[in-house]
Amino acid sequence: MNIGRPVPRSGSGSQEAYAPELLYATFNQDYGCFAIGTQSGFRIFNSDPYKEKMRREFKDGGIGIVAMLYRSNYLAFVGGGRNPRFPPNKVMLWDDASSNIVAELEFRSDVLNVQLQRERIVVVQRNKCIICSLEIKPRHLHAFETADNDRGALALSGGSQSSILAFPGRQKGHIQIVDLQSCVGLSAVQEPQSTSAALPVHRARSHSRGSISADSGVTASTAGPASGVYPANINIIAAHATSISALAVSADGTMVASASEKGTLIRIFDTLNGRLLHELRRGVDRADIYSIAFSPDNTRLCVSSDKGTVHVFNLEAKQGAGQQPAPTPAASGKSGNRHSNLKFMKDLLPKYFSSEWSFAHFRVANEVRCICGFGSERNSVVVLCADGTAQKYSFDSYRGNCIREWYRKFI
């Protein structure tokens, strides 16, 4: 997520607090590592316990987007910053074992987001989501049209047994869900036993680099095998009335969470049938949601925004035995989240009074925008902030009290 310096506006935090060299920050698929893009290269860290694992500095430019492939030596880059290392319309696949670019994908317009899976590269542009094979010579597999997606909203399940992809629909507020494992044409892509089987360590010179001009302009609805772009079954969910700003898919691919540009409600749907499972309220005031993350066991959800706040919601059906509600004005319901004391009158009062609120929340230092992911302990969250800090918070399962465990400067 681009968490660098925002356009100055009221409530965006102190401009002095933002790290000028930081362009991008992202977790890997299981939150165990995170990567940052800077004005002069990139760095990789272990999340919890915190430790810098490696860094690469380039003399000729910055990295505006970086995507990790679990803990492997493969990453995807898009140039950015004052002097971009690569063009903004190209995705470069980097093999850190050989310190080489091993493949590149060129598009007609700027790339807004990239995510990697063991056998696929997913690329987002303003009005398109494109899927290519992850190999030395990438193949263009699918292209889906979307509504305007300036934020690059995209989510891909991180589990080894699922390949659920979520991105904005063609209509404002809609979500498209695609099961990549069932897509026609993907059977032609050999399922690798490991990442190295699909992408062997490549130590040749740059003239051996694979490349593809991936932006064919062909959409999934009209494409066929002759064009190299294959049709796919798509589930459409009408999630919000306004544009989608953030998405997350659970590791097992069973749930998708979404927020709109209004930023007050988080809705969670079943990816198979589109049924609404949870409607969670972040707050009342408008906010820019920067990240949504499911816990590995699907029992928690954390949400961060430009207000420097992180909210943690409980997704379990019921509280543990002997659990007492938190001593707050709003009583805790059976899910562990807070509700209005007037919930019993929900049929007579506006929908606000039946809302489900976070059972734990905290505000990061400097109130800068941030992204969040779950830590190594079940009741912990790691936060990456635009001021160049990583912070770990733990929370009480019963009362929701939050404590900052550590604070580290990563840039």
Side-chain angles (χ1 to χ4, degrees):
M1 172 62 68
N2 179 4
I3 59 171
R5 183 183 296 269
V7 176
R9 67 174 178 84
S10 176
S12 64
S14 170
Q15 293 295 300
E16 290 75 18
Y18 287 84
E21 293 299 308
L22 178 62
L23 299 177
Y24 195 85
T26 185
F27 289 99
N28 72 342
Q29 285 79 359
D30 62 4
Y31 317 121
C33 293
F34 69 90
I36 64 169
T38 72
Q39 296 283 2
S40 59
F42 70 96
R43 304 176 191 179
I44 306 292
F45 301 82
N46 197 74
S47 299
D48 186 24
Y50 171 87
K51 182 180 181 180
E52 182 173 333
K53 303 296 288 186
M54 56 85 70
R55 68 169 67 190
R56 297 286 182 267
E57 300 293 332
F58 301 131
K59 295 181 180 179
D60 52 353
I63 302 298
I65 297 175
V66 55
M68 298 183 68
L69 181 61
Y70 300 92
R71 290 176 178 265
S72 77
N73 51 300
Y74 293 101
L75 301 100
F77 296 145
V78 178
R82 295 184 295 266
N83 180 33
R85 170 83 162 110
F86 309 109
N89 67 323
K90 283 189 176 184
V91 175
M92 316 300 287
L93 187 63
W94 172 270
D95 176 11
D96 201 64
S98 60
S99 296
N100 258 328
I101 296 295
V102 295
E104 65 179 72
L105 297 92
E106 183 175 4
F107 302 88
R108 294 177 186 167
S109 58
D110 289 357
V111 173
L112 302 179
N113 197 356
V114 180
Q115 289 196 23
L116 300 178
Q117 207 183 41
R118 286 187 173 90
E119 65 274 12
R120 303 174 186 90
I121 306 173
V122 183
V123 177
V124 171
Q125 299 173 278
R126 181 175 179 179
N127 296 105
K128 191 175 292 186
C129 179
I130 298 171
I131 304 169
C132 298
S133 61
L134 180 56
E135 50 193 341
I136 297 300
K137 294 184 179 180
R139 290 179 291 139
H140 189 189
L141 301 175
H142 296 271
F144 303 94
E145 292 181 356
T146 71
D148 283 350
N149 185 17
D150 294 337
R151 297 173 182 265
L154 171 71
L156 188 61
S157 58
S160 59
Q161 302 301 315
S162 66
S163 298
I164 300 299
L165 174 67
F167 52 92
R170 294 186 181 187
Q171 295 185 45
K172 184 185 297 185
H174 286 198
I175 305 170
Q176 299 186 67
I177 305 292
V178 178
D179 184 351
L180 297 177
Q181 290 183 340
S182 65
C183 285
V184 175
L186 283 179
S187 58
V189 181
Q190 296 294 320
E191 186 76 20
Q193 296 299 313
S194 66
T195 302
S196 59
L199 286 166
V201 175
H202 183 77
R203 301 185 184 279
R205 297 183 182 276
S206 59
H207 66 262
S208 298
R209 180 188 306 174
S211 65
I212 180 175
S213 180
D215 197 358
S216 67
V218 184
T219 63
S221 59
T222 60
S227 67
V229 185
Y230 299 87
N233 294 323
I234 306 172
N235 291 332
I236 306 295
I237 298 174
H240 300 273
T242 56
S243 298
I244 301 294
S245 66
L247 292 166
V249 175
S250 59
D252 63 3
T254 59
M255 295 187 288
V256 59
S258 63
S260 73
E261 60 185 8
K262 189 175 180 182
T264 55
L265 292 175
I266 311 297
R267 293 192 172 108
I268 301 177
F269 301 89
D270 187 309
T271 56
L272 184 61
N273 55 31
R275 181 170 63 93
L276 179 64
L277 302 175
H278 301 274
E279 184 173 275
L280 310 170
R281 182 169 289 277
R282 182 211 57 81
V284 179
D285 298 333
R286 187 186 186 98
D288 292 333
I289 302 299
Y290 276 94
S291 73
I292 306 173
F294 285 94
S295 64
D297 61 1
N298 290 353
T299 61
R300 303 273 168 78
L301 188 84
C302 60
V303 179
S304 66
S305 72
D306 64 331
K307 294 182 178 295
T309 56
V310 176
H311 293 259
V312 183
F313 298 90
N314 197 340
L315 305 183
E316 292 179 299
K318 60 182 180 181
Q319 293 174 297
Q323 181 170 333
Q324 298 297 320
T328 61
S332 177
K334 68 178 182 178
S335 70
N337 297 321
R338 294 177 296 124
H339 297 84
S340 168
N341 286 325
L342 298 178
K343 184 186 177 184
F344 69 96
M345 299 177 62
K346 64 180 181 179
D347 293 334
L348 302 175
L349 296 173
K351 193 174 183 179
Y352 168 87
F353 291 95
S354 61
S355 293
E356 217 173 321
W357 299 72
S358 61
F359 79 93
H361 69 276
F362 56 87
R363 189 178 297 274
V364 301
N366 294 323
E367 299 184 16
V368 294
R369 51 183 177 173
C370 57
I371 63 173
C372 56
F374 284 90
S376 56
E377 289 102 17
R378 183 172 184 267
N379 294 339
S380 65
V381 172
V382 175
V383 183
L384 309 179
C385 301
D387 60 357
T389 62
Q391 305 172 35
K392 179 185 177 181
Y393 292 81
S394 62
F395 51 88
D396 187 300
S397 297
Y398 298 100
R399 296 183 180 275
N401 298 328
C402 299
I403 300 173
R404 191 172 75 187
E405 298 285 347
W406 49 255
Y407 176 102
R408 302 286 188 272
K409 193 81 173 174
F410 58 75
I411 190 172

